Amino acid sequence: MPLARSLSVTSLSGMEDWDEEFELEDAVLFEIAWEVANKVGGIYTVIQTKARLTAEEWGENYFLVGPYVESNVRTQVELIEPTNPVLKRTIDKMNSSGCKVYFGRWLIEGSPYVVLIDVAFTAWSLDSWKRELWDLCDIGVPWFDREANDAVLFGFLTAWLLGEYAAQSEEPPHIVAHFHEWLAGLGLVLCRHRQLPVATIFTTHATLLGRYLCAGSVDFYNKLSEFNLDKEAGDRQIYHRYCLERAAAHCAHVFTTVSQITAIEAEHLLKRAPDIVTPNGLNVKKFSAVHEFQNLHAQSKNRIQEFVRGHFYGHLDFNLDKCLFLFIAGRYEFSNKGADIFLEALARLNYLLRVNHSDVTVIAFFIMPARTNNFNVETLKGQAVRKQLWDTAQTVKERFGKKLYESLLVGQLPDVSKILDKDDLTIMKRAIFATQRQCQPPICTHNMLEDSGDPILNCVRRIGLFNSSADRVKIIFHPEFLSSTSPLLPMDYEEFVRGCHLGVFPSYYEPWGYTPAECTVMGIPSISTNLSGFGCFMEEHIADPSAYGIYILDRRFRGVDESCNQLTSFLFQFCKQSRRQRIIQRNRTERLSDLLDWRYLGRYYIAARHMALAKAFPDDYMYELHEPTSTSGFRYPRPASVPPSPALSRHSSPHHSEGEDEERYDEDLEAEKDRLNIRQPTALPFKNKSSVVLGANGNGGFAKN
């Protein structure tokens, strides 16, 4: 069968329609991950947002498998009796054999079925299963690694579930089992060892060793081929985890990863090239506000401005209408997430804005959770002072308005000296005195438990950005995830992103990058890197990404100082844009959201499942891979309103005169041209419907024999 060639190109239009129909009536899909109904990291977002599309494709034969966590089940899962008779017999048999397995619906879009396994209830089997793992694979799991112990329990239980399902089936089943990350990988290894009738897929969203190595500040990408893998894993006490991950990658019928950059990493660290790249998508409808996203930006920006008024009370000597809000968000990995290079670039940007006498002020938010014990008193006081000022202004306004009304009612022009009496002036003076401040506005909104050792705060001390009046760049470190119930900044993450002007994510290690993707679908420009999956994906599909508000920072082929200078240049050019130019750029950015819709990107997962079925059941399924033609693939062209330039890395949003901009730019014309460059989502192979489906990144055909 023509299945030997590795498939790792992600050209969307290179995926032609299959000519054959594909029936899923006699196939069943189990998707297995530790983050099913259990939010730990980014994989939760992948599974949650993709569930609706997969449920539409597989219908009643799609089951998510994850761990039973009671606190999550209470709020996210509706427990019900299994509707599938085979699965009901399977769960009953396991429960009668000493397990605790639950069945229900996950209360998210698509309402997929979930099978939740209580790993703690079967902890009595841990020692015997670890012994079996040693006898089978020569992998020893230390007793003190609780996460690895959970992986062993979860792996054996999922393999038990799949084996029991096959045994309870009256006819030989066609089972597809998709395992995410090393925590679920052991189940795949056991399925292959026990020769279960299961087509297996393993997806790594980030390699274990890669994340650890990058956290250690090594020249990771230039030395990928030089690492002594066993030694590096052993030195970091993750050798057993690394072995589980590598075994799963090699045992899978189909091995996938989320981006081209991670595919290179996996080939070197796991010693297997992915068969197909499966980029992460979003449910764009959830974020899209149709034609209202510009209005939503203005509304959210006003709420951020209110917070800024309170935070900088007494030092509010800059024009909020000429203030730009930048942000970085994610796990607190100082170097991996690029917070180090962002801070350095902000210091250089501050110098450029000052020497050029710019009237633009930049406020950079760092939204990264760290260890704190409470809100900063000075920060809370700022919001209280702002509210008091507002209440005072409202009181004076009501009294002023009443006197003005009475004066006009009798046909007289008001005497200002009489309308504002001494009491009004006294109230206003007291309010003004209350805004006086003897210290600088705080950098951090919370009290840090380890202030002296915090990387962000130490870097701020080094570069000297203390929110002084002379600085054109201000910094606010919010070491807690945003919440609409916060007394300080009562906004959820989506609303906050909409109110910002630019997301900055100069990551050194970012297998995909959901944060810039979320910015894109909300019409907010962002800075990413060519070491992130998102950045590589956009570079491949957009002729000039910066014209569409997607700035790609080169961190792969440039040194740190050069990359920092490039980032500073991006930021400085962005600061020089007019308000109209920023609106034009946001319109362009929002039009890219179709590229990130699961309706498009879900086809890669479809291709992976079809490849796995063809490999596991060659007598029943056939998959043929054709070479892509020279015309396959597409790239968003350079927008017509952007003057041509030989340097694609040049800042591409129009920044000439506004008059020239108005002549060149036609929003409707540009939008129509962009719509022609991406096909409408093809009908996916929904359950019980006769339809054609899409091939893999190369052109492929799939049919049941």
Side-chain angles (χ1 to χ4, degrees), residues 136-189:
L136 173 64
C137 305
D138 290 335
I139 299 175
V141 178
W143 63 270
F144 55 81
D145 190 341
R146 182 173 180 176
E147 198 171 14
N149 288 335
D150 286 342
V152 172
L153 292 168
F154 190 56
F156 272 88
L157 287 166
T158 52
W160 185 352
L161 175 75
L162 295 171
E164 193 64 44
Y165 185 91
Q168 294 291 338
S169 300
E170 296 174 358
E171 296 180 2
H174 295 138
I175 302 173
V176 182
H178 191 153
F179 298 82
H180 292 268
E181 282 296 303
W182 72 275
L183 278 163
L186 179 56
L188 186 153
V189 176

Side-chain angles (χ1 to χ4, degrees), residues 17-18 53 56-57 599 603 606 680-686 689-694:
D17 293 349
W18 269 313
L53 191 73
E56 289 175 353
E57 178 193 356
R599 294 282 174 181
R603 65 187 72 182
I606 294 172
Q680 290 300 310
T682 308
L684 294 176
F686 297 152
K689 293 183 181 179
S690 297
S691 60
V692 295
V693 295
L694 298 171

Side-chain angles (χ1 to χ4, degrees), residues 321-326 345-346 348-350 352-354 356 358-363 472-473 501-502 527 551 567-579 581-582 585 651 653 655:
D321 289 332
K322 294 186 177 180
C323 187
L324 299 180
F325 300 135
L326 280 53
L346 287 174
R348 300 180 187 187
L349 174 66
N350 184 55
L352 289 175
L353 293 175
R354 291 176 64 176
N356 286 278
S358 174
D359 58 355
V360 172
T361 300
V362 172
I363 298 181
R472 298 266 50 83
V473 173
H501 296 92
L502 181 70
I527 297 176
Y551 299 89
L567 177 57
T568 306
S569 176
F570 285 159
L571 296 175
F572 186 55
Q573 294 296 335
F574 188 83
C575 290
K576 292 200 295 186
Q577 291 186 53
S578 68
R579 181 174 179 272
Q581 289 161 355
R582 291 197 301 271
Q585 192 175 60
H651 174 70
S653 185
H655 54 279

Side-chain angles (χ1 to χ4, degrees), residues 397-409 414 418-422 424:
K397 184 178 75 171
E398 289 178 7
R399 295 168 64 172
F400 181 95
K402 185 177 180 181
K403 293 177 182 178
L404 176 63
Y405 168 71
E406 290 175 349
S407 177
L408 294 175
L409 199 61
K418 293 181 179 179
I419 288 182
L420 284 177
D421 56 27
K422 289 184 179 180
D424 295 328

Side-chain angles (χ1 to χ4, degrees), residues 330-334 337 339 368-370 448 454-457 477:
R331 286 189 303 273
Y332 196 173
E333 297 176 7
F334 184 65
K337 294 298 182 183
M368 293 180 160
M448 302 291 290
D454 185 78
I456 288 179
L457 295 181
F477 178 25

Side-chain angles (χ1 to χ4, degrees), residues 186-324:
L186 179 56
L188 186 153
V189 176
L190 294 171
C191 285
R192 295 306 305 277
H193 176 259
R194 296 172 183 176
Q195 298 182 343
L196 299 179
V198 178
T200 56
I201 305 168
F202 181 67
T203 297
T204 178
H205 297 259
T207 66
L208 268 171
L209 194 52
R211 192 177 293 281
Y212 274 84
L213 286 169
C214 285
S217 301
V218 300
D219 189 7
F220 180 66
Y221 292 98
N222 289 325
K223 295 184 178 180
L224 262 177
S225 59
E226 302 174 15
F227 290 119
N228 183 334
L229 303 179
D230 292 340
K231 179 181 183 302
E232 296 290 352
D235 289 347
R236 288 160 178 79
Q237 298 185 20
I238 58 165
Y239 184 69
H240 52 291
R241 299 185 181 193
Y242 168 70
C243 289
L244 289 173
E245 181 181 42
R246 185 164 167 175
H250 281 267
C251 289
H253 289 104
V254 174
F255 174 45
T256 83
T257 190
V258 296
S259 64
Q260 290 288 358
I261 196 72
T262 315
I264 297 170
E265 175 188 338
E267 187 171 2
H268 284 89
L269 300 186
L270 300 180
K271 301 303 180 183
R272 178 177 177 180
D275 299 291
I276 184 170
V277 171
T278 51
N280 292 334
L282 288 163
N283 288 329
V284 172
K285 285 184 179 179
K286 177 181 178 182
F287 293 96
S288 294
V290 194
H291 304 295
E292 290 295 317
F293 81 97
Q294 293 282 10
N295 294 334
L296 291 176
H297 165 74
Q299 293 169 13
S300 298
K301 182 181 71 174
N302 288 338
R303 296 195 63 184
I304 297 176
Q305 287 178 338
E306 283 301 299
F307 167 79
V308 169
R309 288 187 177 99
H311 192 82
F312 289 92
Y313 83 92
H315 295 272
L316 200 63
D317 51 2
F318 50 88
N319 187 350
L320 278 175
D321 289 332
K322 294 186 177 180
C323 187
L324 299 180

Side-chain angles (χ1 to χ4, degrees), residues 39 349 382 398 410 434 539 609 683:
K39 185 173 178 60
L349 174 66
E398 289 178 7
V410 298
E539 273 191 320
R609 291 192 286 266

